[in-house]
Amino acid sequence: MPVFTADPHDHRTTAVKRVEQLDRVVIRFAGDSGDGMQLTGDRFTSETAQLGNDISTLPNFPAEIRAPAGTLPGVSSFQVHFADYDILTPGDAPNVLVAMNPAALKANLADLPAGADIIVNTDEFTRRSLAKVGYAVSPLEDGSLSEYAVHPVALTSMTVGALAELGVAKKDAERAKNMFALGLLSWMYSRPFESTLRFLEAKFAKRPDLVAANKAAFQAGWNFGETTEDFAVRYEVKPARMKPGTYRNITGNQALALGLVAACVKSKLPLFLGAYPITPAS
């Protein structure tokens, strides 16, 4: 298992990062349908559950089947609300937005309160990408984001650079940028990362090269948070005080299915469920 420490010879690592205690946080990961935001949010949620926080999440899929890349209809997001007390909703106003492109920023900006952190993938803020969503000038340069704490991070190019020595194809390296983002947010909110590494080993078991690539991208994101001066504060949210017992991390679809089956058994009535999964395969 890799050890997540920064280079001891790097002078930037000598400063000790301040740690702040928070009682609750709402984070939203947003990007194109192919950017892996659902996987990123799911892994962050699993890390958070293991830490003992109470959680509520809101995955948001575009209604279109793979809308054109970089457009507003194609934005996919995953919101997670976690706290050190009992919570009942996924939250309304994200404290943190991770925007993988201009469309993700524009589609979600109205939901952010003043002072929210915005982590943007600057590699995607090209003239063409900005024009797709109606930006004549980059919002990173025109002062329109002055009420927020904006963190420009070259997620794509930094991921490709971190994987350069692994011999991974550029396309596969670029796809791992969501793991870089996950590593950064896991560091930022002091999440345990061991389960994510095990998950990557299982998910890509038949592709050792992708296991190495995604783990390296995750580690690069973690180390970036540890060493960069742009993130001077690290946060902690203590475990929630919950009654002892067995808890389940469950999605709405899973809860609905179990509820329907239980009702069917108890009522001794037959059940038919018809649903449309909205996936490209269908």
Side-chain angles (χ1 to χ4, degrees), residues 144-269:
S144 61
L145 302 178
S146 60
E147 62 180 314
Y148 308 103
V150 181
H151 306 277
V153 182
L155 285 170
T156 305
S157 57
M158 291 181 70
T159 302
V160 172
L163 307 187
E165 295 182 0
L166 297 179
V168 180
K170 184 179 179 181
K171 187 176 182 179
D172 288 334
E174 290 177 346
R175 285 176 176 169
K177 62 182 180 290
N178 65 323
M179 287 296 106
F180 188 105
L182 177 59
L184 173 58
L185 269 294
S186 296
W187 171 85
M188 192 172 174
Y189 288 95
S190 308
R191 304 292 93 183
F193 55 80
E194 292 83 359
S195 65
T196 291
L197 300 183
R198 291 194 297 269
F199 169 82
L200 293 173
E201 290 169 354
K203 180 177 177 61
F204 301 109
K206 296 181 179 180
R207 292 284 307 274
D209 57 330
L210 295 185
V211 172
N214 281 277
K215 289 171 69 172
F218 184 94
Q219 180 173 352
W222 181 286
N223 288 346
F224 176 74
E226 185 74 29
T227 59
T228 182
E229 296 179 359
D230 193 34
F231 293 92
V233 181
R234 190 178 187 185
Y235 303 97
E236 289 183 353
V237 179
K238 293 182 178 180
R241 293 182 179 179
M242 297 187 287
K243 295 180 180 179
T246 301
Y247 290 83
R248 173 180 295 185
N249 184 3
I250 192 170
T251 67
N253 284 342
Q254 292 169 335
L256 174 62
L258 290 173
L260 290 173
V261 171
C264 188
V265 171
K266 287 181 176 295
S267 65
K268 297 182 180 179
L269 294 173

Side-chain angles (χ1 to χ4, degrees), residues 102-113:
L105 175 65
K106 190 168 188 177
N108 294 282
L109 189 60
D111 294 337
L112 303 183

